Amino acid sequence: MYNNKYFMKIALKEAELAFKEDEVPIGAVVVCNNTVIAKAHNQTELLTDVTAHAEILAITAAQEYLQNKILDKCTLYVTLEPCLMCAGALYWSRIGKVIFGAFDKKRGYSQFTEKALHPKTELETGVLEQEALTLLQDFFKNKRK
């Protein structure tokens, strides 16, 4: 029942909320012991804050929930590969695992360095990749109209 697709679907629901709010549709959830402890979506437009990415908001909420800045027992599920800024925040939180849907071939951290995440952080990619890509493509297709 609880598997990577299950939690990524929750992240996709967050991304859909962002889409409806005219934000770039990226969603993130932080899971500890098969429990979602934080979820977020991009809010850069709403908050007029370039750092209000889904990952940053989810990390902050998870740290508040746990009352700890270290998230080494947690997994972040995010619909799109984190940017360099978000990867840096994940590094400093020492997140246990990062699972993302689609690669970001323009702004993803792997375009700049493979060493952005903490050395102990596990990584898995491609979970519900097509669903994440479709949502992003639809969003930008609507923006171009």
Side-chain angles (χ1 to χ4, degrees):
M1 180 177 164
Y2 296 121
N3 58 29
N4 290 342
K5 286 184 179 180
Y6 174 86
F7 292 115
M8 190 61 80
K9 284 180 183 176
I10 297 170
L12 280 165
K13 285 182 182 169
E14 284 294 315
E16 289 167 4
L17 288 174
F19 189 106
K20 289 176 187 168
E21 295 168 6
D22 204 29
E23 299 273 359
V24 176
I26 300 169
V29 297
V30 177
V31 175
C32 279
N33 299 318
N34 281 329
T35 301
V36 174
I37 63 166
K39 56 186 178 177
H41 56 274
N42 275 2
Q43 294 188 332
T44 60
E45 301 300 326
L46 174 70
L47 300 176
T48 318
D49 180 357
V50 297
T51 69
H53 290 195
E55 301 95 322
I56 300 289
L57 298 173
I59 290 166
T60 301
Q63 290 169 330
E64 288 176 14
Y65 179 88
L66 294 173
Q67 292 295 294
N68 193 337
K69 66 181 184 175
I70 305 302
L71 302 177
D72 60 339
K73 305 282 190 269
C74 300
T75 299
L76 174 84
Y77 292 84
V78 62
T79 56
L80 187 66
E81 175 187 6
C83 70
L84 205 49
M85 174 186 70
C86 292
L90 291 163
Y91 179 98
W92 290 111
S93 76
R94 289 190 241 158
I95 193 91
K97 189 169 189 174
V98 173
I99 298 174
F100 66 79
F103 279 92
D104 184 344
K105 295 184 184 341
K106 290 184 181 177
R107 294 181 191 88
Y109 76 87
S110 67
Q111 298 301 307
F112 305 97
T113 179
E114 292 290 327
K115 297 179 181 180
L117 298 176
H118 193 278
K120 292 184 179 177
T121 298
E122 296 176 41
L123 178 65
E124 187 172 334
T125 66
V127 177
L128 299 181
E129 178 177 14
Q130 194 52 57
E131 291 88 333
L133 279 175
T134 299
L135 195 58
L136 284 159
Q137 290 165 346
D138 289 350
F139 178 79
F140 286 111
K141 195 182 303 177
N142 287 342
K143 284 288 184 193
R144 288 186 205 102
K145 286 183 181 176

